[in-house]
């Protein structure tokens, strides 16, 4: 079992920045950030393979969001810059335990955090 604990959500004006953090209780093969706005499906925004550090982003956040990791702390960060109202959502951290292909679909991810709210006002 892997427990994921997110922190760092909040409210910000358009153009502002926030940083989300996700601490894992054990080793993970890859980790990702997803978000879900009211009435919409959960959307993958960024993922990282923890061994190689390889990253991938959705087109909606590329160039504005950066996913990174602190291996010693088993923590993944999501730095979000130039936030826009359409970025408003509950953000979830997710993890794959051992191996596989880590896309930005929800299906590969066995473990999920509880979510943290990000609200961007215009």
């Amino acid at each position: 079992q892997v427990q994921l604990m997110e922190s760092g959500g909040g409210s910000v004006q358009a153009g502002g920045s926030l940083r989300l953090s996700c601490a894992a209780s054990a080793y993970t093969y890859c980790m990702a950030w997803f978000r879900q706005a009211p009435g919409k499906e959960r959307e993958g925004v960024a993922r990282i393979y923890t061994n190689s550090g390889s990253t991938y982003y959705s087109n909606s956040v590329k160039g504005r969001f950066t996913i990174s990791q602190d291996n010693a702390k088993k923590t993944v960060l999501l730095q979000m810059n130039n936030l826009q109202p359409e970025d408003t959502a509950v953000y979830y951290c997710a993890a794959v335990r051992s191996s596989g292909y880590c896309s930005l679909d929800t299906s590969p991810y066995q473990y999920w955090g509880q979510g943290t709210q990000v609200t961007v006002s215009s």
Side-chain angles (χ1 to χ4, degrees), residues 6 8 17 19 45 59 62 74-75 78 81 84 100 113 119:
E6 300 131 336
S17 298
R19 189 176 74 167
V45 297
N59 287 335
K62 195 177 299 182
K74 293 190 290 290
T75 298
L78 186 69
N81 296 330
Q84 300 299 317
T119 302

Side-chain angles (χ1 to χ4, degrees), residues 7 10 19 53 55 58 68-69 73 100 103 109 116:
S7 61
R19 189 176 74 167
T55 59
S58 69
S68 61
Q69 62 180 345
K73 297 181 179 179
S103 68
Y109 298 88
T116 184

Side-chain angles (χ1 to χ4, degrees), residues 77-108:
L77 306 173
L78 186 69
Q79 177 66 40
M80 305 184 294
N81 296 330
N82 191 24
L83 283 160
Q84 300 299 317
E86 54 265 34
D87 295 316
T88 296
V90 177
Y91 282 70
Y92 297 90
C93 175
V96 172
R97 184 70 174 91
S98 57
S99 64
Y101 176 63
C102 299
S103 68
L104 289 182
D105 294 329
T106 58
S107 54

Side-chain angles (χ1 to χ4, degrees), residues 10-18 83 118-122:
S11 297
V12 67
Q13 289 190 328
S17 298
L18 285 173
L83 283 160
V118 170
T119 302
V120 185
S121 58
S122 58

Side-chain angles (χ1 to χ4, degrees), residues 1-76:
Q1 288 287 336
V2 178
Q3 293 181 329
L4 302 174
M5 181 64 68
E6 300 131 336
S7 61
S11 297
V12 67
Q13 289 190 328
S17 298
L18 285 173
R19 189 176 74 167
L20 305 182
S21 177
C22 176
S25 62
Y27 166 80
T28 57
Y29 176 69
C30 66
M31 295 181 72
W33 286 97
F34 289 78
R35 66 187 181 185
Q36 189 164 20
K40 294 189 176 182
E41 292 187 355
R42 194 165 293 191
E43 170 195 21
V45 297
R47 70 100 173 102
I48 187 167
Y49 284 100
T50 58
N51 286 338
S52 68
S54 174
T55 59
Y56 183 78
Y57 300 90
S58 69
N59 287 335
S60 61
V61 307
K62 195 177 299 182
R64 300 188 299 123
F65 291 12
T66 302
I67 189 170
S68 61
Q69 62 180 345
D70 181 338
N71 283 340
K73 297 181 179 179
K74 293 190 290 290
T75 298
V76 169

